[in-house]
Amino acid sequence: MKSLLRVEQLSKEAILYQISFDVKPEEMVAIMGPSGSGKSTLLYNVAGMDQPSEGKIWLKQTEITKLTEDEKADLRLRRMGFVFQQMNMMSNLNILENILLPVMQANKGKKGKSKSALIADAKRLMQKFSIADLGDRSIAQVSGGQLQKACICRSMMNEPEILFADEPTGSVKLVQHYPKEIPVILFSLSMRISDMTDRHSVRFSSRVSDS
């Protein structure tokens, strides 16, 4: 089976050194390591938020490391989904509006879906994650677990080719909610999360090794 994401000999200054791995379609991979080991740096480089010192990264046939900053931003918006530890929800928007925010940006143009169709898509995802009745609430009016479910919904609205999750779970059980049809990379401290994934990599001395 061909790789969906491929990382070759990625290095970043003194933090990451010659890291190589790949992710296949429908695969869930956990990148494990203690605080300060470089998991977030690896995420930022693989997703094109930062430029590695050396190495190459492909998403299917697209070599991310050759793209301009604008091209990488567009790729993240349209082809990747993200769930961050900080959640990055807008306090002036309700839950439904937060879920819709990235897809509304990506959907601009004549060929985009109507707003009503996007709202229907969001509500279907919210139903799947058992938060359908929370759309009108502010982010301060829901629990941490409910907010993380909303973040997963938001990350899936653009039908991404791959999801990146940086310490995304207060509850390990939330890992079960990630879609099985979309490859997911979980960057986490918790070894319990690795037990729920297809494959995990443990990072020591600026290296990632499959285990």
Side-chain angles (χ1 to χ4, degrees):
M1 185 181 294
K2 291 185 178 180
S3 299
L4 185 138
L5 178 76
R6 189 165 83 256
V7 177
E8 289 188 359
Q9 300 293 302
L10 185 151
S11 296
K12 180 64 177 179
E13 298 167 353
I15 304 170
L16 305 172
Y17 179 67
Q18 293 186 354
I19 293 172
S20 297
F21 66 94
D22 65 338
V23 179
K24 293 178 172 57
E26 301 183 14
E27 186 174 35
M28 181 178 282
V29 178
I31 305 292
M32 314 302 299
S35 294
S37 63
K39 297 186 303 299
S40 293
T41 301
L42 180 59
L43 164 60
Y44 298 149
N45 279 265
V46 171
M49 300 178 200
D50 198 359
Q51 185 71 11
S53 307
E54 298 177 4
K56 297 180 180 181
I57 304 155
W58 283 271
L59 181 61
K60 291 185 176 176
Q61 301 303 313
T62 303
E63 185 177 342
I64 297 173
T65 37
K66 283 189 174 181
L67 300 179
T68 67
E69 292 303 315
D70 286 345
E71 288 170 337
K72 286 188 283 190
D74 189 68
L75 179 139
R76 287 193 297 271
L77 180 63
R78 300 179 188 280
R79 299 178 61 187
M80 297 177 175
F82 297 90
V83 182
F84 292 107
Q85 185 177 19
Q86 298 85 358
M87 302 191 198
N88 298 328
M89 290 286 197
M90 304 290 289
S91 60
N92 61 320
L93 302 177
N94 64 31
I95 295 297
L96 177 59
E97 290 166 340
N98 267 290
I99 290 172
L100 287 167
L101 190 60
V103 75
M104 294 292 287
Q105 178 66 27
N107 200 59
K108 289 180 178 178
K110 293 181 180 180
K111 295 183 180 180
K113 287 185 178 181
S114 67
K115 185 175 181 179
S116 60
L118 294 175
I119 291 173
D121 289 345
K123 288 183 175 179
R124 277 193 292 271
L125 279 172
M126 293 172 72
Q127 182 71 42
K128 180 179 178 180
F129 284 84
S130 303
I131 57 170
D133 59 339
L134 304 180
D136 292 332
R137 296 192 189 183
S138 73
I139 63 173
Q141 294 175 318
V142 299
S143 69
Q146 290 169 332
L147 198 57
Q148 286 195 321
K149 288 181 180 181
C151 288
I152 298 172
C153 289
R154 180 180 62 182
S155 74
M156 293 171 61
M157 280 295 295
N158 282 334
E159 300 179 358
E161 295 169 36
I162 190 166
L163 289 177
F164 296 92
D166 188 19
E167 293 291 355
T169 54
S171 169
V172 175
K173 291 181 180 179
L174 279 178
V175 174
Q176 299 170 351
H177 291 285
Y178 282 85
K180 292 180 174 59
E181 67 275 12
I182 302 173
V184 181
I185 306 182
L186 296 151
F187 297 77
S188 180
L189 292 164
S190 174
M191 290 301 295
R192 291 176 63 199
I193 286 179
S194 70
D195 294 335
M196 306 175 72
T197 61
D198 302 308
R199 181 161 57 93
H200 68 274
S201 300
V202 182
R203 185 173 185 281
F204 297 107
S205 302
S206 298
R207 295 177 185 270
V208 169
S209 58
D210 289 339
S211 59

